[in-house]
């Protein structure tokens, strides 16, 4: 028996062997007699008992030894659902020390040397999205965290601003702030951290969103479209997947005398209307945004505003190349490059409708909407910022020029994979700051999914101020570079 192999005592005519590598845990069961039916000394919550079972090492939650009983908890996928299961068996008294050593070793490999037993402050919004957050946490997430040995301090928010108050006074001893809700509660948390007695230390506590709202954009950006909406998987990222702190840019939002922190997006025009006009449809989850967009296509209201941007990049192909280069570097452990320098000042009006003045670019063409933010996904159905980086010191700005209704309807196809990025009518910029001044009395401004007064405001990037808990050093969204015609583009 090697250091990475553990053999259970025969049970019901079968011997079970557990062997792990850097990538997987293999469970094998072999009959001890030729005519004995294949059975197992380990227990699955499923009725199926295979003779050979392979578990990704990142899915191992815990390995414990109690007396002579060894139990390994892990995550298993059944169809689109994720569940926690166990494999357990007995070892001889002589092999108990070896079993403890084996359990310690597999835990070290599964967590890549990290600590699985985290102290977590959990905030649950019982009214967010479809209103299932308490159930999701109790039934899917809490058992995983408990099995991993995490210490939980759980609070259900009772009113708007409650999470801000909690974050403002949070103890710095927590390993992470777990937010069980949609993106709105994350907005409250970051603004609470900004009011903390020691904000820089408070912002170093990683935020870990568990999807239970309508949009769940932040969770999608951290784990991708396949895992980002599964609360079980997101809970696993806290402990099972070796979640590591990932620094991210935040935004300083200034409107009159009010200053706030934005972590995800700001939007005006059609897309803001979609958000605010479907507030009463939160029970529909992400589908509310599709319904709202269809209504917006019918009305097709234009947005009149003055938009000035401190632009750093506007070449779409170069932005894609930078995205892929960043991922390759991050995979090798190479630190990201510093943000590019500002553009050269110019006072000339361009043919594309922009005006340059003192290193600020003013966009003065009529538009349908302006969407600015950080992170590829704003919802499951919309990858708005496919070339966004967590900490490039910039904000991505997407401006949709006026187009026909048929174009807008056609644009829905492929919106979830970022196809609209390549539309020529979608003007895309990376900037270190921007300011917007509405030119009409009525309208909607949404910041991180929350409504704000439709008045002039300014955004500045707060470089690497925030911290998220993530299994990767980059956003997990998979931008396959499909162009406006649906053709795959080759990247350099």
């Amino acid at each position: 028996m090697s250091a990475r192999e553990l053999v259970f005592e025969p049970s019901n005519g079968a011997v079970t062997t557990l062997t792990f590598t850097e990538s997987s845990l293999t469970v094998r069961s072999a009959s001890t007699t030729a005519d004995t039916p294949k059975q197992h000394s380990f227990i699955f919550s499923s009725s199926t008992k295979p003779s050979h079972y392979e578990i990704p090492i990142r899915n191992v939650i815990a390995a414990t030894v109690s007396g002579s009983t060894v139990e390994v908890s892990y995550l298993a996928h059944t169809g689109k659902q994720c569940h926690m299961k166990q494999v357990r068996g007995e070892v001889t008294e002589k092999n108990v020390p070896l079993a403890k050593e084996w359990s310690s070793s597999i835990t070290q490999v599964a967590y890549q040397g990290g600590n699985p037993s985290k102290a977590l402050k959990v905030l649950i919004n019982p009214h967010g999205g479809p209103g299932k957050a308490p159930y999701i946490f109790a039934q899917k997430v809490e058992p995983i965290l408990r099995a991993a040995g995490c210490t939980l301090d759980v609070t259900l928010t009772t009113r708007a601003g409650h999470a801000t108050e909690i974050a403002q006074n949070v103890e710095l001893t927590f390993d992470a702030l777990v937010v069980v809700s949609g993106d709105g509660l994350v907005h409250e948390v970051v603004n609470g951290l900004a009011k903390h007695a020691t904000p820089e230390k408070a912002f170093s506590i990683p935020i870990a969103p568990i999807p239970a709202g309508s949009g769940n954009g932040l969770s999608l950006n951290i784990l991708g479209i396949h895992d980002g909406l599964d609360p079980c998987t997101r809970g696993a990222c806290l402990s099972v997947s070796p979640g590591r702190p990932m620094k991210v840019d935040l935004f300083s939002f200034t409107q009159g005398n009010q200053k706030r922190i934005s972590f995800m997006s700001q939007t005006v025009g059609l897309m803001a209307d979609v958000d605010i006009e479907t507030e009463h449809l939160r029970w529909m989850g992400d589908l509310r945004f599709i319904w709202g967009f269809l209504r917006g296509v019918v009305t097709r209201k234009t947005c009149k505003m003055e938009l000035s941007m401190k632009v750093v990049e506007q070449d779409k192909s170069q932005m894609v190349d930078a995205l892929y280069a960043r991922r390759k570097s991050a995979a090798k452990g190479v630190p990201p490059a510093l943000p590019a320098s500002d553009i050269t000042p110019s006072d000339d009006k361009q043919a594309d409708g922009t005006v340059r003045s003192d290193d600020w670019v003013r966009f003065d063409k009529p538009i349908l909407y302006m969407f600015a933010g950080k992170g590829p996904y704003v919802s499951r159905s919309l990858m708005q910022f496919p070339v966004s980086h967590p900490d490039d010191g910039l904000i991505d700005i997407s401006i949709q020029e006026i187009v026909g209704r048929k174009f807008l309807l056609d644009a829905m196809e492929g919106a979830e994979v970022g196809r609209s990025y390549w539309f020529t009518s979608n003007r895309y910029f990376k900037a270190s700051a921007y300011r917007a001044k509405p030119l009409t009395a009525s309208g909607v401004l949404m910041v991180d999914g929350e409504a704000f007064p439709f008045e002039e405001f300014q955004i500045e990037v707060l470089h690497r101020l925030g911290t998220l808990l993530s299994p990767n050093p980059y956003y997990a969204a998979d931008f396959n570079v499909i162009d406006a015609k649906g053709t795959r583009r080759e990247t350099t």
Side-chain angles (χ1 to χ4, degrees), residues 251-282:
F251 309 120
S252 172
F253 172 89
T254 304
Q255 190 175 56
N257 296 324
Q258 181 185 26
K259 284 185 176 290
R260 290 186 68 85
I261 300 292
S262 170
F263 78 95
M264 188 172 71
S265 66
Q266 312 88 43
T267 184
V268 295
L270 186 152
M271 300 306 286
D273 295 340
V274 167
D275 204 344
I276 195 68
E277 292 176 3
T278 59
E279 275 285 320
H280 64 293
L281 301 175
R282 285 184 174 272

Side-chain angles (χ1 to χ4, degrees), residues 397-427:
I397 303 174
S398 172
I399 302 172
Q400 178 58 59
E401 297 177 345
I402 296 176
V403 292
R405 292 184 176 86
K406 183 179 185 305
F407 183 94
L408 290 172
L409 291 174
D410 291 342
M412 294 180 67
E413 182 179 355
E416 74 282 1
V417 294
R419 188 170 69 92
S420 61
Y421 174 77
W422 297 106
F423 294 154
T424 56
S425 62
N426 175 27
R427 303 298 307 283

